Amino acid sequence: MSVNQQAHAGPPYGQPQPGYQGYQQPAYGGQPLPGVPQSQYGAYNGPMPGYQQPVPPQGSLRAPPTSGAPPPASGASLPSGHLAYSQFGHGDVQNGIPASAAPMQRPPASQPFLPGSAPTPVSQTATFQQYGPPPASVQQLSNHMAGMTIGSTTASAPPPAGLGYGPSTSVPPVSGSFSATGSGLYTPYTASQGPSPTSVSQGLPLAQPLFPGQPMSTQRLPTQVPGFVPPPSSAGIGPSSYPPSTGAPRPPTMPGPPLPGQTVAGPPTSQPNHVSSPPPPSTMSGPHPGPPMSGLHGPPPPTHPPQPGYQMQQNGSFGQVRSPQPNYGGAYPGTPNYGSQPGPPPPPKRLDPDSIPSPQLNELPPQQKPRHRIDPDAIPSPIQVIEDDRSNRGSEPFVTGVRGQVPPLVTTNFLVKDQGNASPRYIRCTSYNIPCTSDMAKQSQVPLAAVIKPLATLPPEETLPYLVDHGESGPVRCNRCKAYMCPFMQFIEGGRRFQCCFCSCVTEVPPHYFQHLDHTGKRVDFYDRPELSLGSYEFLATVDYCKNNKFPSPPAFIFMIDVSYNAVKSGLVRLICEELKSLLDYLPREGNMEESAIRVGFVTYNKVLHFYNVKSSLAQPQMMVVSDVADMFVPLLDGFLVNVNESRTVIASLLDQIPEMFADTRETETVFAPVIQAGLEALKAAECAGKLFIFHTSLPIAEAPGKLKNRDDKKLINTDKEKTLFQPQTSFYNNLAKDCVAQGCCVDLFLFPNQYLDVATLGVVTYQTGGSIYKYAYFQLETDQDRFLNDLRRDVQKEVGFDAVMRVRTSTGIRATDFFGAFYMSNTTDVEMAGLDCDKTITVEFKHDDKLSEDSGALLQCALLYTSCAGQRRLRIHNLSLNCCTQLADLYRNCETDTLINYLAKYAYRGVLSSPVKTVRDALINQCAQILACYRKNCASPSSAGQLILPECMKLLPVYLNCVLKSDVLQPGPEVTTDDRAYIRQLVTSMDVAETNVFFYPRLLPLTKADVDSDSLPAAIRNSEERLSKGDIYLLENGLNIFVWVGVNVQQGLIQNLFGVSSFGQISSALSTLPVLENPFSKKVRSIVDMLQVQRSRYMKLIIVKQEDKLEMLFKHFLVEDKSLSGGASYVDFLCHMHKEIRQLLS
């Protein structure tokens, strides 16, 4: 099968991939590796002895999508010019880390120390992960955050209280651990914890904590994080939360050096527009779910009286950190090493509200009364974790050859090399090391789930899955469980049979597929066959995989436009018709095809439906009206669905006429269900799958099937009946959805409501057919046109699989038990979707049905059968192998918090359909408390109950969980409509991990800190009002909206450069796009906005927010670390509440 004549997306299989020069490439037929026999076979698709050449199929290798739509970045990608820094040593780690890498290098175990002396540099500045058991002598190591010190000594006694920390000789000095004054508690670690949690002082100079009152030494980063200079270690904010900049006011600073233990958190109360909080009481911690009436939820009062003059050696706890030094906005806390490869993690974090004394209120000047008893800088920072993962893991390709590797975070921009496991762009798991028994899984309460995005878009540097054609016989499968051939199958008896890796059944190898084995038991054509060497690939399906045993026709797109009074008067109808004229040239097409195979049809409707005959032989389009909406039929077959190129002039004429025909309409009522029925009937008559694009404006109250009434009732919120607001009013739409799925009719819905529309009911068909909903409330041409047109273009152009069925197979021991997403299920195993696009995910939960073994691990195989946009039936296969463990510590070391939150949000958002919202919220809090309590009890070293200990890879679980709890679905503010909640609920259910990450914890960028000469983004800051400075401009994005917040004291020059007006007062809040101005700052900000738009699957609405303006309340809703107006807890309060819950579980 020759591949030379086709345009394809990557080099032929079997040649070294571009961009990886110098890496050995066992899976790509590149340089031979020692121990791997030189293949005597040609490159993939080259001739192979003993293998009959099948007829080449059309389009066997996939070309890059030629549509003009920008590919969505999965993972927040960095711009091209953003330098990524390698944290790996030279030659130590190459192409991924096998499970038995050499132990990492450590700083010298004994280190002379003089208080205040220069920091001693570590011998090796790179960060390594250690894979063997740690040497017992070195156990006290540095931590990632200033003020959260980690200590663990095997047998050294606590130093005398009141002395500086003279380290014992066997312990390397701690880097950056500053604790506040107070009890001289010293928490020893014992060696009984399984693999003791250790980390090296990751590439930082080792700086000793100094005596109280001495200046603090600076921590230096091994590689400079672009965009800011690390200030001295004091109160750790996220990277660059306020790098010194001229003219920008800073958080309150102390006059002169601060007193020991003194802290500042929160802006001065004199700052306008700050919602002042009550002074901290001495009540027990824990936010109440109710409104913020109940006194401020601070931690319990300190149990040890403060001892002024001594610095508390509270090893292993989050100590209070000192206030920012004058002229610095707080430190860069700790070293970059989050989210790294599995291996013993750094020691867990501990927060000890009991022993963090609050400075006496009367010690502080009046404007510096602390707002929280726990310094927000002393608790885990999402920004820090994201930055550290970027600097540690963004520079090396992620090679998928090793079982159970935790991938880099979704916020890190990295390349993937497929060497036998599916890319994390296709599958991400909550844990990559799963418990061997169901008892252990129940004990930990960590859900075992995979978020699967079968048709994910890949960046241009990565190769699309290869298409394999086995001819008439079809793909090779296991006889018993029907799993598809994959890299984990074991060939036996000289290659004549293979043993299934999923069910262990032995199957004969078909004669045409036979190949000899080499001395290691591998087939000699291993590297020439994608299904033997790669984690993801496609098979061309045979006729047995098609409906009614005949190959499918190419799909059709039907555009169905509401022409009622509202739609016409708002200018929407004219806008849609104008756009479609050009958009129809960009329908999706198979890689090497001249034109799209998709046919199109047009319908308009209000109380009745109008079908249009646009047959190419007609001079003018013909309209046919169906007014009997109770018994819907399609009045014409020939001429309704047409090829765009053949009927171009007739279609153009129709699109010109529609706005004129209905210009004077007085019809305000609409139907809805008959519109879907009409599209469904048209596809049935044409015997093809397809997609309906419905543009709809109002509640369908006209007399017709599926008629709805306005049932919106705010009084139901917080009652047992609240769940009815999320459920459809009638079962009519569920039955209609079932018929649509059977035909492969996918429905995409564009809504333009001016009042209640009942998204919960109208969205049912869209949701169950795998479609998308877009909502533009109070649509106005001048402000919403760009967003709607961009969404429409992308929706029409994106890659879609039609008539899709997905099944997930697992190896013995676990099975898929639960599914979340936009699909329909008629049985317990098959996920059916009329359409599945490149943005949709299906989340699958697994449960044990037997024991697993550590040796064999666990395997998943996701098989998606679908029809391509050219009408070709295909199977896309994704395989993933996971480790299994008998120790809880191994489970907690290999979890992925972002994926866990994605699963928990979907689980909770489904829960609101059947349970009161409060029950759902309590269940979420309880499950997370159990996860963390199990870790505390079984994996952390014994220590005082007053300490909160979080696993390294789950330390962001509390902050992210709090964001889910405060979201509009689970805790709506008064301004959130019922439709908004139903819309968000459906949206989140099929989001991928990168989308839920930024949706729940938005990205906040200081635009005034952006470097206009580089391509990089400014370093993000934490989502809290106290991080904002009145003299700066910030951008906040959450995947649906982009806010540009302008402080009242921003320099006039910046306002002029960005908005083209001379003062703050003249900035218009009505802008929906930034003016195009010829200056570096304007160009930079617009390029940042464009870069963010490309990364997201929807075009985000731009909202300008002026400080102290009415829109600011909306903006503050997204500052998720603060208290919310709807009663949601601040991050600090919620952390204390979680701590209380965990303590209750442990006691």
Side-chain angles (χ1 to χ4, degrees):
M1 193 195 297
S2 155
V3 293
N4 300 334
Q5 71 274 32
Q6 312 213 19
H8 54 278
Y13 196 82
Q15 290 178 13
Q17 306 293 306
Y20 296 119
Q21 282 86 3
Y23 283 98
Q24 295 177 323
Q25 297 177 314
Y28 290 90
Q31 308 92 318
L33 284 187
V36 179
Q38 182 71 5
S39 164
Q40 69 256 51
Y41 299 90
Y44 170 52
N45 274 344
M48 280 181 262
Y51 174 58
Q52 280 105 39
Q53 302 290 334
V55 189
Q58 286 305 305
S60 66
L61 269 182
R62 201 91 144 273
T66 41
S67 75
S74 58
S77 55
L78 289 172
S80 52
H82 194 121
L83 291 174
Y85 293 88
S86 168
Q87 288 269 334
F88 293 99
H90 313 290
D92 290 276
V93 181
Q94 186 184 27
N95 274 20
I97 306 173
S100 57
M104 52 178 142
Q105 291 166 306
R106 290 206 143 60
S110 65
Q111 192 107 349
F113 162 67
L114 290 170
S117 65
T120 327
V122 185
S123 56
Q124 173 101 8
T125 58
T127 332
F128 284 85
Q129 277 314 106
Q130 176 213 330
Y131 283 81
S137 67
V138 183
Q139 276 184 322
Q140 168 165 358
L141 298 143
S142 91
N143 175 10
H144 299 334
M145 293 200 181
M148 297 183 183
T149 68
I150 303 274
S152 67
T153 53
T154 17
S156 65
L163 294 186
Y165 316 69
S168 57
T169 47
S170 66
V171 180
V174 186
S175 129
S177 48
F178 306 115
S179 290
T181 54
S183 61
L185 246 169
Y186 190 95
T187 320
Y189 268 2
T190 60
S192 64
Q193 313 163 217
S196 57
T198 53
S199 81
V200 225
S201 171
Q202 286 113 350
L204 292 191
L206 288 165
Q208 275 302 333
L210 307 168
F211 290 106
Q214 280 190 277
M216 310 214 178
S217 61
T218 309
Q219 298 180 349
R220 287 185 190 72
L221 279 148
T223 55
Q224 193 75 306
V225 177
F228 81 100
V229 182
S233 296
S234 50
I237 299 175
S240 116
S241 46
Y242 292 99
S245 77
T246 51
R250 218 150 257 90
T253 50
M254 293 273 179
L259 303 171
Q262 199 166 16
T263 181
V264 170
T269 42
S270 61
Q271 176 181 340
N273 196 38
H274 177 66
V275 184
S276 57
S277 349
S282 52
T283 50
M284 274 304 281
S285 59
H288 309 288
M293 301 289 200
S294 43
L296 192 88
H297 328 290
T303 46
H304 317 282
Q307 303 165 355
Y310 297 123
Q311 199 149 348
M312 176 178 69
Q313 169 99 359
Q314 172 64 55
N315 262 352
S317 74
F318 293 65
Q320 190 123 3
V321 243
R322 305 202 296 181
S323 75
Q325 303 292 324
N327 219 26
Y328 283 97
Y332 183 82
T335 58
N337 189 32
Y338 295 102
S340 47
Q341 301 280 71
K349 302 284 160 277
R350 304 182 174 184
L351 169 62
D352 192 351
D354 282 1
S355 53
I356 300 178
S358 191
Q360 299 305 312
L361 289 185
N362 53 10
E363 290 175 17
L364 294 180
Q367 84 277 16
Q368 289 172 338
K369 295 273 193 271
R371 182 163 149 229
H372 303 297
R373 312 255 319 276
I374 295 171
D375 187 334
D377 291 330
I379 55 182
S381 155
I383 303 303
Q384 190 59 48
V385 172
I386 288 167
E387 281 298 330
D388 290 342
D389 192 73
R390 275 186 189 149
S391 51
N392 287 343
R393 305 196 62 187
S395 52
E396 296 283 316
F398 178 70
V399 181
T400 70
V402 180
R403 183 175 85 191
Q405 274 185 109
V406 182
L409 298 181
V410 283
T411 41
T412 298
N413 194 24
F414 61 99
L415 273 177
V416 179
K417 292 184 74 176
D418 184 341
Q419 294 193 353
N421 281 297
S423 159
R425 304 193 204 288
Y426 294 124
I427 306 183
R428 274 187 180 265
C429 293
T430 52
S431 178
Y432 287 80
N433 200 333
I434 61 180
C436 282
T437 63
S438 60
D439 290 349
M440 191 172 152
K442 281 194 190 90
Q443 186 187 357
S444 75
Q445 285 285 315
V446 176
L448 306 174
V451 180
I452 307 174
K453 195 174 179 183
L455 298 178
T457 309
L458 299 184
E461 310 82 69
E462 292 177 23
T463 317
L464 289 166
Y466 290 98
L467 183 61
V468 180
D469 182 4
H470 283 313
E472 300 266 313
S473 58
V476 179
R477 301 176 69 175
C478 165
N479 268 347
R480 183 198 291 159
C481 72
K482 300 295 182 222
Y484 294 87
M485 180 53 68
C486 71
F488 313 121
M489 298 286 190
Q490 192 67 47
F491 286 89
I492 53 176
E493 297 177 23
R496 283 189 294 280
R497 307 171 84 180
F498 68 91
Q499 182 167 25
C500 177
C501 49
F502 295 95
C503 70
S504 305
C505 172
V506 173
T507 301
E508 294 279 334
V509 173
H512 72 88
Y513 198 72
F514 173 77
Q515 189 50 273
H516 295 284
L517 307 185
D518 65 16
H519 63 286
T520 65
K522 263 188 186 169
R523 283 173 53 125
V524 289
D525 62 353
F526 176 79
Y527 292 122
D528 302 326
R529 290 192 174 274
E531 72 272 25
L532 299 182
S533 54
L534 296 179
S536 301
Y537 41 86
E538 294 198 309
F539 291 119
L540 205 53
T542 57
V543 76
D544 311 334
Y545 292 87
C546 304
K547 265 188 198 158
N548 310 326
N549 275 8
K550 59 182 210 185
F551 284 114
S553 311
F557 281 1
I558 304 177
F559 297 92
M560 314 184 92
I561 306 166
D562 174 346
V563 288
S564 64
Y565 179 81
N566 278 346
V568 174
K569 277 291 162 280
S570 65
L572 182 62
V573 173
R574 188 173 296 278
L575 182 68
I576 293 169
C577 292
E578 278 304 312
E579 179 59 29
L580 286 179
K581 285 185 205 168
S582 54
L583 187 55
L584 294 177
D585 287 332
Y586 295 96
L587 298 176
R589 57 175 185 247
E590 214 65 66
N592 51 355
M593 288 172 57
E594 284 296 307
E595 61 176 53
S596 175
I598 293 173
R599 291 168 298 164
V600 297
F602 302 89
V603 171
T604 56
Y605 67 93
N606 39 44
K607 268 191 352 191
V608 297
L609 276 79
H610 323 105
F611 293 80
Y612 297 94
N613 183 345
V614 283
K615 198 172 176 180
S616 55
S617 55
L618 294 173
Q620 283 293 322
Q622 295 170 347
M623 172 165 135
M624 300 186 186
V625 180
V626 176
S627 51
D628 181 6
V629 289
D631 181 22
M632 187 41 67
F633 67 98
V634 179
L636 76 163
L637 289 182
D638 189 29
F640 180 62
L641 293 177
V642 296
N643 173 296
V644 174
N645 279 343
E646 290 169 10
S647 299
R648 182 175 299 278
T649 50
V650 195
I651 291 173
S653 170
L654 170 68
L655 293 172
D656 284 336
Q657 287 173 37
I658 287 174
E660 307 308 327
M661 267 190 292
F662 298 100
D664 301 322
T665 184
R666 285 282 167 267
E667 187 52 75
T668 56
E669 292 188 358
T670 58
V671 295
F672 185 70
V675 181
I676 297 176
Q677 286 170 326
L680 172 60
E681 292 303 322
L683 294 177
K684 272 186 187 166
E687 295 184 356
C688 68
K691 189 184 259 201
L692 313 182
F693 295 84
I694 302 181
F695 304 91
H696 189 78
T697 60
S698 57
L699 191 70
I701 52 172
E703 212 41 64
K707 172 186 172 182
L708 301 179
K709 59 181 192 291
N710 187 338
R711 51 150 186 178
D712 190 16
D713 188 358
K714 279 281 175 77
K715 292 198 286 293
L716 297 182
I717 291 180
N718 293 328
T719 68
D720 285 355
K721 288 197 170 162
E722 183 173 2
K723 57 178 181 271
T724 59
L725 297 175
F726 295 110
Q727 298 163 355
Q729 303 188 23
T730 153
S731 61
F732 181 87
Y733 288 95
N734 296 72
N735 298 327
L736 181 54
K738 188 173 160 183
D739 297 341
C740 286
V741 172
Q743 180 57 39
C745 168
C746 176
V747 179
D748 278 3
L749 192 50
F750 292 81
L751 296 173
F752 306 88
N754 290 334
Q755 58 207 20
Y756 178 71
L757 193 71
D758 203 346
V759 173
T761 306
L762 297 188
V764 166
V765 179
T766 298
Y767 186 65
Q768 294 192 15
T769 57
S772 307
I773 298 188
Y774 299 84
K775 182 165 158 288
Y776 311 87
Y778 308 107
F779 177 82
Q780 286 182 309
L781 215 55
E782 53 282 358
T783 53
D784 298 308
Q785 169 177 343
D786 277 356
R787 183 163 62 107
F788 162 57
L789 292 181
N790 275 287
D791 282 342
L792 176 60
R793 284 167 197 155
R794 189 152 188 280
D795 197 57
V796 167
Q797 294 174 32
K798 66 186 170 189
E799 183 189 357
V800 187
F802 293 94
D803 228 338
V805 183
M806 185 181 103
R807 184 176 283 194
V808 178
R809 292 179 173 82
T810 53
S811 52
T812 314
I814 53 169
R815 62 195 173 88
T817 55
D818 209 350
F819 301 85
F820 304 83
F823 53 74
Y824 174 78
M825 290 186 85
S826 53
N827 56 32
T828 55
T829 53
D830 294 337
V831 174
E832 300 173 48
M833 294 154 288
L836 172 68
D837 64 50
C838 55
D839 298 323
K840 294 279 185 306
T841 64
I842 292 94
T843 301
V844 186
E845 186 180 8
F846 303 98
K847 291 258 170 35
H848 288 74
D849 57 5
D850 204 346
K851 282 197 171 69
L852 294 162
S853 88
E854 285 189 278
D855 301 337
S856 55
L859 302 175
L860 316 177
Q861 183 178 77
C862 160
L864 176 78
L865 174 65
Y866 71 98
T867 302
S868 75
C869 59
Q872 198 177 52
R873 203 71 176 143
R874 295 179 176 182
L875 283 150
R876 180 169 288 203
I877 313 294
H878 297 298
N879 302 286
L880 187 64
S881 58
L882 302 172
N883 286 328
C884 297
C885 57
T886 51
Q887 297 294 322
L888 281 164
D890 292 326
L891 163 70
Y892 283 103
R893 190 169 292 140
N894 293 281
C895 288
E896 234 264 294
T897 298
D898 293 323
T899 310
L900 191 56
I901 288 292
N902 179 286
Y903 164 83
L904 290 171
K906 289 172 182 176
Y907 184 78
Y909 281 16
R910 187 176 68 183
V912 298
L913 291 173
S914 52
S915 308
V917 171
K918 183 179 186 314
T919 311
V920 173
R921 293 164 47 80
D922 292 347
L924 268 185
I925 294 174
N926 185 39
Q927 180 167 8
C928 289
Q930 286 186 328
I931 290 172
L932 297 173
C934 172
Y935 175 82
R936 171 67 189 260
K937 185 175 166 191
N938 299 289
C939 309
S941 57
S943 60
S944 113
Q947 291 177 327
L948 173 62
I949 304 185
L950 301 170
E952 180 56 32
C953 67
M954 279 191 192
K955 66 183 175 200
L956 297 181
L957 189 59
V959 62
Y960 286 163
L961 177 70
N962 191 32
C963 297
V964 174
L965 293 170
K966 295 198 308 189
S967 63
D968 290 338
V969 173
L970 298 182
Q971 195 163 32
E975 73 297 334
V976 179
T977 66
T978 307
D979 275 344
D980 284 333
R981 297 177 72 194
Y983 174 61
I984 295 296
R985 197 191 74 75
Q986 293 199 10
L987 215 54
V988 167
T989 307
S990 44
M991 275 186 183
D992 71 8
V993 180
E995 287 171 321
T996 51
N997 175 274
V998 78
F999 180 76
F1000 289 114
Y1001 192 94
R1003 178 150 57 162
L1004 182 58
L1005 305 173
L1007 294 179
T1008 20
K1009 306 282 188 287
D1011 178 357
V1012 293
D1013 300 321
S1014 91
D1015 290 341
S1016 61
L1017 293 172
I1021 61 171
R1022 287 170 67 170
N1023 276 320
S1024 169
E1025 192 177 353
E1026 56 191 48
R1027 310 282 169 179
L1028 304 179
S1029 146
K1030 295 186 201 178
D1032 286 327
I1033 302 175
Y1034 297 87
L1035 179 148
L1036 182 144
E1037 65 126 354
N1038 73 341
L1040 295 182
N1041 298 307
I1042 291 180
F1043 294 92
V1044 174
W1045 183 89
V1046 188
V1048 287
N1049 295 353
V1050 173
Q1051 296 165 1
Q1052 268 184 304
L1054 285 174
I1055 291 175
Q1056 183 71 51
N1057 283 345
L1058 191 54
F1059 299 103
V1061 296
S1062 55
S1063 71
F1064 177 81
Q1066 292 174 299
I1067 299 171
S1068 163
S1069 299
L1071 288 174
S1072 59
T1073 50
L1074 291 169
V1076 177
L1077 303 172
E1078 286 303 314
N1079 66 71
F1081 185 58
S1082 172
K1083 282 179 183 163
K1084 176 65 182 174
V1085 172
R1086 283 181 290 114
S1087 82
I1088 289 175
V1089 170
D1090 293 345
M1091 193 190 301
L1092 299 180
Q1093 293 285 23
V1094 167
Q1095 288 174 16
R1096 305 288 168 221
S1097 61
R1098 287 163 185 255
Y1099 195 83
M1100 295 180 280
K1101 181 176 185 173
L1102 183 80
I1103 301 169
I1104 308 292
V1105 178
K1106 293 156 71 175
Q1107 188 175 356
E1108 297 166 20
D1109 193 35
K1110 60 180 187 296
L1111 273 173
E1112 202 182 22
M1113 296 321 274
L1114 179 62
F1115 173 74
K1116 284 181 180 172
H1117 177 67
F1118 296 100
L1119 298 176
V1120 290
E1121 288 197 24
D1122 298 339
K1123 265 194 167 60
S1124 72
L1125 290 170
S1126 50
S1130 70
Y1131 175 20
V1132 167
D1133 290 345
F1134 183 71
L1135 199 58
C1136 293
H1137 179 69
M1138 282 301 283
H1139 189 195
K1140 194 175 85 178
E1141 294 276 325
I1142 292 165
R1143 284 170 75 167
Q1144 278 173 350
L1145 287 171
L1146 291 174
S1147 60

